[in-house]
Amino acid sequence: MAEFELYCFGESGNAYKAALMLNLAGLEWDARFVDFFNGEARSEAYLSQVNEMGEVPVLLHGPVKLSQTGVILEYLAQRSGAFGPHDEDERREILRWILFDNHKLTANIATLRFLLQFAHSGETEVTKFLRGRAQAALKITEQHLAGGPFIVGGRPTIAD
């Protein structure tokens, strides 16, 4: 049995971020695939035993159970010594960009992608709004990256 277990499904960008970190950090882990599209994450068992928020990813590490991608990435960086901050200033800057990603980028892109690719909504006023928000966040990110190839500190971190 691997040291880490990740509740995930292939279509989840947030689960991908956690799985990528586990792989890049060289950590032993197993995937626990969640049948998200058939309602497993909204089932009473999942909500009561895995994640009350009804989301993936969820990381298990011994007695530790974590949800929310930013928290998982920060935990894995601490445990592995890979892709974390070098000091408190970097820690705050990494956190700033993770929160920006969660609020402005991933939230809009993931919802847009779900509506278009899985719900087959077609173009609507909602998808136009989400696309505009995503494009604005991408523009901010691109402008920041004009100063170097990584988000924080000139090297890859969990903010990337």
Side-chain angles (χ1 to χ4, degrees):
M1 185 166 134
E3 183 177 1
F4 296 91
E5 184 176 8
L6 184 68
Y7 282 76
C8 56
F9 63 98
E11 296 85 355
S12 169
N14 284 318
Y16 175 80
K17 292 173 190 178
L20 180 62
M21 176 63 178
L22 286 159
N23 282 333
L24 291 175
L27 300 169
E28 293 291 325
W29 66 284
D30 289 326
R32 167 39 178 96
F33 293 102
V34 175
D35 190 359
F36 185 84
F37 291 105
N38 285 313
E40 181 180 356
R42 294 178 303 279
S43 71
E44 188 57 41
Y46 191 90
L47 294 170
S48 65
Q49 297 168 21
V50 181
N51 183 359
E52 67 184 335
M53 296 175 180
E55 299 173 336
V56 300
V58 173
L59 181 73
L60 302 179
H61 182 226
V64 175
K65 182 184 343 179
L66 301 171
S67 68
Q68 296 298 318
T69 308
V71 172
I72 291 169
L73 294 174
E74 192 272 337
Y75 180 80
L76 293 172
Q78 280 187 336
R79 296 293 302 179
S80 69
F83 308 108
H86 285 158
D87 57 33
E88 284 300 303
D89 289 337
E90 273 194 359
R91 184 188 67 75
R92 284 186 295 276
E93 188 65 3
I94 287 169
L95 179 60
R96 185 172 83 99
W97 281 98
I98 286 175
L99 292 171
F100 172 82
D101 171 61
N102 283 335
H103 180 66
K104 299 282 188 166
L105 191 57
T106 297
N108 292 303
I109 289 176
T111 305
L112 176 63
R113 181 173 159 250
F114 175 83
L115 289 172
L116 294 173
Q117 298 299 316
F118 301 108
H120 306 289
S121 70
E123 192 68 27
T124 67
E125 290 304 311
V126 172
T127 60
K128 289 177 189 175
F129 172 78
L130 292 169
R131 183 175 285 106
R133 300 275 294 175
Q135 288 172 337
L138 287 168
K139 183 177 179 182
I140 291 167
T141 305
E142 287 175 9
Q143 288 172 340
H144 180 76
L145 288 171
F150 302 107
I151 294 290
V152 177
R155 62 186 171 76
T157 69
I158 57 174
D160 293 288

